[in-house]
Amino acid sequence: MKRSTPWLCCVVGLLACGVAAAQNAPQVITAAGAYHPLPNAAYQPDRHAIYKVVFALTKASDKPGQVNPGIERVARTVNLYAAAGVPLDHLKFVAVASGPATGLVLDEEHYKAQFGTANPNLAVISQLRKAGVDVAVCGQAMAEHHYPDEWASKDVTLSLSALTTITELEQKGYALLPL
């Protein structure tokens, strides 16, 4: 029994170091999504689980020069899971913009023409895409806002509609998170 004690201490120490390293991991999405590390808080994500979430982005920013609050929360969610040690390939995230949030997906030229300022969401969208998050826009909302499809950023997926995207993903086991 005494021989196993040093070995057990080493294993526990390595696990503790791994958890500490994961909790202190740098942000994956740096353009938005700041969070407060809370390694001792309850309900920590399981690093081995697969997380399937569809985020419904339906609100506009208070000011066009500010990052959309919904896309900011998607970025925060990615950062929180990554900081908890969940690999990015375990995050099956889709963010769908519709209604008043539709404009957040516009490319630089068309956002500036519509809102008079640079699009603060593009860096976030690009980083989310690189992290494996599918940022989509409701095609019906694009049409209702009179935005031609080609005005959407190249990092954005044009979906038939937010309604069909959300219901299709829920049928596939995705949890809906309205933002």
Side-chain angles (χ1 to χ4, degrees), residues 102-115:
T102 303
L104 77 90
V105 305
L106 295 178
D107 63 23
E108 191 66 53
E109 174 188 353
H110 295 99
Y111 192 93
K112 197 167 204 168
Q114 291 292 310
F115 301 107

Side-chain angles (χ1 to χ4, degrees), residues 118-161:
N119 187 343
N121 303 294
L122 293 178
V124 182
I125 292 169
S126 175
Q127 289 179 3
L128 286 169
R129 176 67 70 182
K130 287 177 186 161
V133 177
D134 184 14
V135 178
V137 65
C138 172
Q140 303 306 302
M142 288 286 286
E144 288 172 10
H145 283 87
H146 305 289
Y147 300 153
D149 297 346
E150 58 273 7
W151 285 14
S153 163
K154 63 179 174 41
D155 289 326
V156 171
T157 301
L158 178 70
S159 72
L160 172 61
S161 71

Side-chain angles (χ1 to χ4, degrees), residues 10-21 47:
C10 287
V11 170
V12 170
L14 287 172
L15 286 173
C17 287
V19 169
R47 288 180 270 171

Side-chain angles (χ1 to χ4, degrees), residues 30-82:
T30 58
Y35 65 95
H36 304 282
L38 298 170
N40 298 319
Y43 304 109
Q44 295 287 331
D46 176 351
R47 288 180 270 171
H48 305 291
I50 302 293
Y51 294 93
K52 296 164 67 172
V53 180
V54 57
F55 300 87
L57 313 179
T58 59
K59 297 177 182 148
S61 300
D62 289 337
K63 297 178 183 172
Q66 295 175 337
V67 171
N68 179 281
I71 203 83
E72 191 281 330
R73 285 189 179 88
V74 174
R76 178 177 291 168
T77 305
V78 170
N79 287 336
L80 285 165
Y81 277 92

